[in-house]
Amino acid sequence: MPLILLGILVALPVLDIYATFRVAESLNVPGWALFLPGVGFGILLMKRETQTLKSRFVAALASVGVHGVVFDSGRRLLAAVLLLLPGVVSDLFALFLLMVPNRTPQTATVAAAGNAGPKTVDGEFRRVE
């Protein structure tokens, strides 16, 4: 069983690279021209996601809504890794992952991160007996 999994893990990237070169051949472009955009976009997405992950996670812990943030961030990080892998098929899977809508709106998590301090209300107090 472990040999089958190892064979799958080796065969899938090889087949993906083969498919990429076949697509490049049919489009009459060099093979590396199909690898560079995915790698560049994957690096940008990975940097952006790792920079914003901590603030979104802290905001989600404060509002007790961790599941959506973990799912969204994990999905985007997986898409970044798939974009970094060479091949057209892995890039298509990554784009599919990026097209799935977020569970939590980004504005709510950013607003929650900004208001993470103690909540106080100013007012006047008058005792009525």
Side-chain angles (χ1 to χ4, degrees):
M1 184 68 172
L3 289 176
I4 293 172
L5 290 176
L6 181 65
I8 290 172
L9 287 175
V10 170
L12 286 178
V14 170
L15 291 174
D16 195 10
I17 292 171
Y18 175 74
T20 302
F21 281 120
R22 295 293 292 186
V23 169
E25 182 182 325
S26 68
L27 294 174
N28 291 327
V29 295
W32 58 267
L34 295 180
F35 291 124
L36 287 182
V39 170
F41 187 60
I43 290 170
L44 290 175
L45 183 64
M46 184 74 78
K47 283 183 181 180
R48 179 182 167 268
E49 194 58 35
T50 53
Q51 288 173 351
T52 61
L53 178 63
K54 183 178 178 182
S55 63
R56 276 190 274 151
F57 193 70
V58 168
L61 282 176
S63 66
V64 193
V66 179
H67 292 52
V69 171
V70 170
F71 177 76
D72 290 340
S73 294
R75 181 177 44 84
R76 284 190 291 268
L77 285 173
L78 179 62
V81 169
L82 285 174
L83 283 169
L84 289 173
L85 293 176
V88 174
V89 178
S90 62
D91 290 350
L92 291 176
F93 281 130
L95 291 177
F96 173 73
L97 285 175
L98 290 174
M99 288 192 311
V100 174
N102 291 338
R103 288 182 170 204
T104 57
Q106 294 295 326
T107 56
T109 57
V110 171
N115 298 332
K119 307 226 183 318
T120 59
V121 177
D122 290 334
E124 295 182 14
F125 174 74
R126 183 175 64 162
R127 179 173 288 182
V128 177
E129 293 183 30

